[in-house]
Amino acid sequence: MKKWLLALVSIMLVAVVAACGNKADNSNAASGTDSNGAVTLRVGATAVPHAEILNHLKPELAKEGVNLDVVEFTDYIQPNVQLNDKKLDANYFQTKPYLDEQNKSRGMNLVIVQGVHIEPFGGYSKKYTSLDQLPEGATIAIPNEVSNGARALILLANNGLIELKDKTNITSTTKDITSNPKNLQFKEMDAAMLTRQLDQVDMAMINMNYVLEAKIDPKSALVVEDSSAPYANYLVAREDNKDSKAIQKLAKALTSDDTKKFIEEQYKGAVIPAF
C-alpha cells in the first residue's frame, strides 16, 4: 500500500511540475481574449517616442475593448523576431526600408499596417557646431545595419560631404562612396550605442528615438533630414492578423486627432505626424 501511495504522489508531483512548465512556456506568447471579451494586444516598441505614444492610447483603446500591453525594446532586431514568432501581435518602431531589409535577410513576411510619424534622422557632435568645422579625416559613426547605414550616407551625400553611386539607393554602403573630399573615416556600430559614443567620434548619425531617449536636444543636429525623406515609422503586423478588429482599432487610434495633438505637443517638431 505504501508503495502505491508513493507512486501516486510521485505522479501528482510530475503533473504539477509539467503544468508549471507549460505556464512558463506560454508566458511569452501574444495574448488573446480575456473573460470579459476584451482583446489584449502585445505590441513591441522602442521606448521613445513609440512606447510613449502607445501608452497614451491605452485608456481610449480600453474603452473599445482592446487592452494594450506595450513591450519595450532597446534594439531593432527582437521586435521583428518576436512578432514573426507570434510572441507579439504587432510592433511599432521601424521604417519601411528597414522592414523590407529585415524581411529579406531573415526570411520573414511582416507587413505594414499604418504609417504614423516621421523622426528626422540627423548628425550630432559634442566637438563641433557645424558641418564646415569637421576636420580632414574626421571620424563619423553610422548605424551598422543596411537600412539606417544607407540613410546616414544618403543624408551626408545630400549635404555635400560625400558622393554616392546612387543617392536614391536605400541600401547604399560605404563601398558605394565615389568621392570623399575630407577623407572622412566611417565607424559602423549598433544604432543603440551611438549616443554613448559621441565623446569618441567627431560626429554620429543617430535615429531620433535614441536622440530623445538620451535627452539630446534635436535642434543641436549639425545636419538633419527634411520632410521629403521616405522614412515614416509604421505599425507592423503579420499577414495572419493585420486585418483583425483589434489591430485595426489600434491603427485608427494611432492616427487620430488626439494622437496628432499629443505628438505635436509632446515632441515639438522632433517627431512629426505622418497622417
Side-chain angles (χ1 to χ4, degrees), residues 8-269:
L8 181 59
V9 170
S10 298
I11 292 171
M12 291 175 67
L13 285 172
V14 169
V16 170
V17 170
C20 292
N22 288 336
K23 183 176 180 181
D25 289 342
N26 291 331
S27 64
N28 288 326
S31 303
T33 305
D34 67 17
S35 59
N36 296 318
V39 176
T40 297
L41 289 181
R42 283 174 58 88
V43 182
T46 45
V48 184
H50 308 84
E52 291 180 344
I53 294 171
L54 290 169
N55 285 324
H56 173 73
L57 301 178
K58 279 186 176 182
E60 193 60 36
L61 282 170
K63 294 177 185 177
E64 298 185 35
V66 178
N67 295 325
L68 206 55
D69 180 10
V70 181
V71 184
E72 293 189 13
F73 292 86
T74 58
D75 73 297
Y76 289 158
I77 303 298
Q78 284 302 310
N80 280 334
V81 171
Q82 293 196 26
L83 175 57
N84 188 65
D85 291 344
K86 299 188 177 183
K87 294 178 180 179
L88 296 172
D89 298 297
N91 66 45
Y92 168 41
F93 75 98
Q94 64 192 315
T95 65
K96 184 179 185 299
Y98 181 78
L99 175 64
D100 290 345
E101 188 275 327
Q102 288 291 294
N103 274 338
K104 181 179 179 180
S105 65
R106 296 180 182 274
M108 301 184 295
N109 190 32
L110 305 179
V111 294
I112 282 173
V113 178
Q114 178 66 57
V116 182
H117 73 263
I118 297 169
E119 299 174 20
F121 187 93
Y124 297 82
S125 176
K126 285 190 174 181
K127 300 177 181 179
Y128 309 105
T129 58
S130 72
L131 291 180
D132 293 340
Q133 294 176 355
L134 289 174
E136 178 82 13
T139 300
I140 311 297
I142 66 173
N144 63 359
E145 43 79 20
V146 176
S147 173
N148 283 308
R151 189 176 180 182
L153 295 174
I154 291 170
L155 179 56
L156 294 174
N158 285 337
N159 284 272
L161 272 75
I162 59 172
E163 291 182 10
L164 295 170
K165 290 180 183 177
D166 179 3
K167 287 196 298 184
T168 66
N169 179 9
I170 58 175
T171 61
S172 294
T173 71
T174 54
K175 294 179 181 179
D176 296 309
I177 296 173
T178 57
S179 177
N180 185 0
K182 283 195 170 184
N183 192 31
L184 300 176
Q185 304 299 305
F186 293 95
K187 185 176 182 179
E188 300 180 6
M189 62 183 65
D190 187 276
M193 297 297 295
L194 289 169
T195 57
R196 305 176 195 176
Q197 296 296 313
L198 281 173
D199 290 326
Q200 309 300 318
V201 298
D202 294 296
M203 184 169 71
M205 309 300 290
I206 310 175
N207 295 81
M208 183 61 74
N209 61 298
Y210 292 126
V211 171
L212 294 173
E213 193 173 336
K215 301 188 184 305
I216 296 170
D217 182 2
K219 295 179 181 178
S220 69
L222 277 61
V223 61
V224 68
E225 287 173 338
D226 60 30
S227 59
S228 66
Y231 294 106
N233 281 219
Y234 288 86
L235 174 67
V236 171
R238 299 184 305 274
E239 283 283 358
D240 67 341
N241 73 344
K242 65 182 177 67
D243 295 320
S244 70
K245 289 182 179 180
I247 292 290
Q248 291 303 312
K249 285 180 179 180
L250 174 56
K252 184 177 179 180
L254 279 167
T255 53
S256 68
D257 290 340
D258 176 68
T259 300
K260 184 176 182 179
K261 181 180 179 182
F262 175 80
I263 291 173
E264 290 173 342
E265 292 182 352
Q266 181 75 11
Y267 304 110
K268 303 184 187 306

